Amino acid sequence: NAGVTQTPKFQVLKTGQSMTLQCAQDMNHNSMYWYRQDPGMGLRLIYYSASEGTTDKGEVPNGYNVSRLNKREFSLRLESAAPSQTSVYFCAGTGGASTDTQYFGPGTRLTVL
Amino acid sequence: GENVEQHPSTLSVQEGDSAVIKCTYSDSASNYFPWYKQELGKRPQLIIDIRSNVGEKKDQRIAVTLNKTAKHFSLHITETQPEDSAVYFCAASKGRGNQFYFGTGTSLTVIP
């Protein structure tokens, strides 16, 4: 099993550019999450999908959109990137055989100039 | 919504000593409390978790205690080793399908 995977690992954008962060899992997770991690602020939830076909806002959703393409894939889109979105982004999944345990992907380090 | 507070933000201990990290939560409906370890440049990884129907759980040198009445839970690491140096996060949740709320992290340094 690959677990939770994310692409790309690194990305540099200019202000105003758009991009999509991809996340996929092969652990049969029902729920999937997108977090951002900034120094001294822990992990803050952007959006999550409790189950296939549903998405909900988290603590910091402004400037982002998500798509739960199918049970395996959950993407995060930045329509018009801003320097404040410079961060490390983690995708995570729970449910299925792992019950409540949340497994994280390796992260995407995004810099917006 | 839930609010999780974590203390201290930094902690230095001598190798072999114990380390304790404390978290409080606000929502009495939270019933699942995991702890994650994150090494520099890596993803958070679960090290131990506890559910609200249990007061204490141990796994070798690591233990977690939960006080539901006071709404706080703690991570205890005994006989610390240099490889325990990392950032530790607590979290609270109502379980799968629900949000996870994270503390702001504790940077633990174990001095050889």
Side-chain angles (χ1 to χ4, degrees), chain A residues 4 31 33 35 37 40-43 45 48 50 57-59 90 94-96 99-102 104-106 109, chain B residues 31-32 36 38 41-46 49 51 87 89 93-105:
Chain A
V4 180
S31 303
Y33 305 78
Y35 295 93
Q37 185 174 37
M41 302 191 75
L43 291 152
L45 183 66
Y48 71 108
K57 295 178 180 179
E59 180 185 359
F90 287 101
T94 64
T99 62
D100 292 327
T101 304
Q102 189 163 83
F104 285 84
R109 185 172 295 274
Chain B
N31 58 14
Y32 176 63
Y36 290 85
Q38 187 178 27
K42 302 285 183 66
R43 74 189 81 186
Q45 293 200 303
L46 180 76
D49 57 11
R51 287 174 173 79
V87 178
F89 292 97
S93 175
K94 297 173 190 173
R96 69 185 112 167
N98 290 282
Q99 295 189 40
F100 283 67
Y101 297 86
F102 284 82
T104 50

Side-chain angles (χ1 to χ4, degrees), chain B residues 11-74:
Chain B
L11 180 60
S12 292
V13 299
Q14 292 291 136
E15 182 177 357
D17 286 350
S18 295
V20 180
I21 303 170
K22 299 181 179 181
C23 288
T24 60
Y25 63 99
S26 61
D27 189 346
S28 57
S30 291
N31 58 14
Y32 176 63
F33 307 93
W35 285 89
Y36 290 85
K37 176 183 180 181
Q38 187 178 27
E39 297 176 345
L40 191 63
K42 302 285 183 66
R43 74 189 81 186
Q45 293 200 303
L46 180 76
I47 55 172
I48 196 166
D49 57 11
I50 192 167
R51 287 174 173 79
S52 58
N53 59 347
V54 176
E56 183 176 2
K57 184 177 179 180
K58 287 184 179 179
D59 183 3
Q60 300 183 334
R61 298 185 296 108
I62 295 173
V64 56
T65 58
L66 171 65
N67 183 326
K68 284 192 299 182
T69 303
K71 296 196 190 71
H72 67 70
F73 56 112
S74 300

Side-chain angles (χ1 to χ4, degrees), chain B residues 13-20 60-63 76-85 108 110-111:
Chain B
V13 299
Q14 292 291 136
E15 182 177 357
D17 286 350
S18 295
V20 180
Q60 300 183 334
R61 298 185 296 108
I62 295 173
H76 304 254
I77 306 174
T78 59
E79 301 172 17
T80 54
Q81 301 167 4
E83 51 265 38
D84 294 330
S85 295
L108 173 64
V110 180
I111 304 165

